[in-house]
Amino acid sequence: MKIEVSNLSYSYNNGKTFAVKDASTIINEKDFVAIIGHTGSGKSTFIQNLNALIIPTKGKVVVDEFTIANKIKIKNIKKLRKTIGTVFQFPEYQLFEETVEKDILFGPKNFGFEKEKLEGLASKVLQIVGLDDSFLKKSPFELSGGEKRRVAIAGILAFDPDVLIVDEPTAGLDPISSIKMMELFKKLNEMGKTIILVTHQMDHVLTYTNRVLVFQNALLQCDITPLDLFNNLDLVKSLEIDVPNVINLTHLVSKKYPKILNYKIKSINDFVDAYKEVISLWH
């Protein structure tokens, strides 16, 4: 299943101000797509149009048999929302039940899952997000920020969406927790789910995603691979985005060992391997 976005615009203030303007792209099945740009660039508005949380002013989004467009009524919006699940930046907005188990099962019950399918479901998805059964009877409001985020993700995974949208999932997490969170999305992507990641963490974009959509001033300026984006420093500068630390390090080392630029470096481990090889060739 793919998501086709055609000339998508969303405006307010009687059409005078655009949050997103004339964006077109296709998100393919099993993509791991990053959506980046400064605050107010259009990222959040764009993702809210993908499952009809808001409706385009102009243009359209086509998801399977659904067309999301102005003046077109979506007949079975529940099925659309089951196809594309969203985890918002602040997980406490999605947690409201007395226990973690009840919270996780709220979505499946709302989508009409039969009783037999609900049995053991909360435990199963908790395991996927790295939590054990001891969390089932806990209040979600007693959990840490990282645990709340994992429970919110478990609640979405419980109804098995094809696409998972995650908005700033590592915000406020320490470096180790951030890596664990990103490894979770990597695992879900390998399991066959399309992941759409909104983030300001450029190192995560480079390491984990296969495509980047860059928004600037409401416009989709770039649809590109992470390596092609971050290795083009002039383009990065024009888009006013940060360069991942490992790319900065690579270019610094290239002043002495220029051949290191020939390697596809997406992580610090890639850098170490490339550096060792370049050094051995040099000597």
Side-chain angles (χ1 to χ4, degrees), residues 152-169:
I153 294 167
I156 300 298
L157 294 179
F159 56 82
D160 196 26
D162 296 313
V163 180
L164 182 64
I165 300 174
V166 284
D167 191 356
E168 298 288 357

Side-chain angles (χ1 to χ4, degrees), residues 31 33-34 66 83 110 143 172 206 213-214 236 241 256:
D31 263 348
V33 180
F66 300 100
T83 300
N110 190 47
L143 306 180
L206 177 64
L213 306 182
V214 187
V236 169
I241 56 178
K256 184 172 182 180

Side-chain angles (χ1 to χ4, degrees), residues 79 81-85 107-108 111 113 117 121 124-125 128 153-164 188 191-193:
K79 185 178 178 183
R81 301 263 169 85
K82 183 181 180 299
T83 300
I84 302 180
F111 286 122
F113 279 38
K117 287 193 70 174
L121 180 58
K124 178 182 177 182
V125 293
I128 293 174
I153 294 167
I156 300 298
L157 294 179
F159 56 82
D160 196 26
D162 296 313
V163 180
L164 182 64
L188 292 171
M191 291 168 60
K193 295 198 180 296

Side-chain angles (χ1 to χ4, degrees), residues 109-144:
K109 287 180 178 178
N110 190 47
F111 286 122
F113 279 38
E114 296 179 357
K115 188 176 180 180
E116 304 81 62
K117 287 193 70 174
L118 296 175
E119 293 178 4
L121 180 58
S123 175
K124 178 182 177 182
V125 293
L126 275 181
Q127 289 179 19
I128 293 174
V129 300
L131 300 176
D132 58 42
D133 287 357
S134 67
F135 285 84
L136 287 171
K137 301 304 178 185
K138 289 183 178 180
S139 166
F141 304 105
E142 296 174 355
L143 306 180
S144 69

Side-chain angles (χ1 to χ4, degrees), residues 107-264:
K109 287 180 178 178
N110 190 47
F111 286 122
F113 279 38
E114 296 179 357
K115 188 176 180 180
E116 304 81 62
K117 287 193 70 174
L118 296 175
E119 293 178 4
L121 180 58
S123 175
K124 178 182 177 182
V125 293
L126 275 181
Q127 289 179 19
I128 293 174
V129 300
L131 300 176
D132 58 42
D133 287 357
S134 67
F135 285 84
L136 287 171
K137 301 304 178 185
K138 289 183 178 180
S139 166
F141 304 105
E142 296 174 355
L143 306 180
S144 69
E147 290 167 346
K148 284 181 179 178
R149 208 153 293 173
R150 288 177 180 269
V151 169
I153 294 167
I156 300 298
L157 294 179
F159 56 82
D160 196 26
D162 296 313
V163 180
L164 182 64
I165 300 174
V166 284
D167 191 356
E168 298 288 357
T170 62
L173 299 183
D174 61 77
I176 293 176
S177 297
S178 293
I179 291 173
K180 288 181 178 179
M181 185 67 67
M182 292 307 303
E183 286 295 320
L184 167 61
F185 298 132
K186 179 182 177 183
K187 180 173 73 172
L188 292 171
N189 183 240
E190 290 170 348
M191 291 168 60
K193 295 198 180 296
T194 302
I195 307 294
I196 300 174
L197 168 72
V198 179
T199 185
H200 285 94
Q201 299 295 324
M202 298 302 105
D203 291 277
H204 294 162
V205 173
L206 177 64
T207 301
Y208 292 97
T209 70
N210 69 294
R211 284 176 60 201
V212 190
L213 306 182
V214 187
F215 280 86
Q216 186 183 51
N217 300 323
L219 298 174
L220 176 55
Q221 298 281 16
C222 211
D223 184 346
I224 194 170
T225 70
L227 281 172
D228 286 341
L229 171 62
F230 293 121
N231 282 312
N232 187 336
L233 298 185
D234 290 335
L235 176 60
V236 169
K237 184 177 180 180
S238 72
L239 294 170
E240 301 177 312
I241 56 178
D242 295 329
V243 179
N245 293 323
V246 72
I247 295 293
N248 278 326
L249 180 60
T250 301
H251 282 271
L252 182 64
V253 170
S254 73
K255 293 177 182 179
K256 184 172 182 180
Y257 304 109
K259 287 187 177 180
I260 199 168
L261 293 176
N262 296 332
Y263 293 80
K264 294 181 179 180

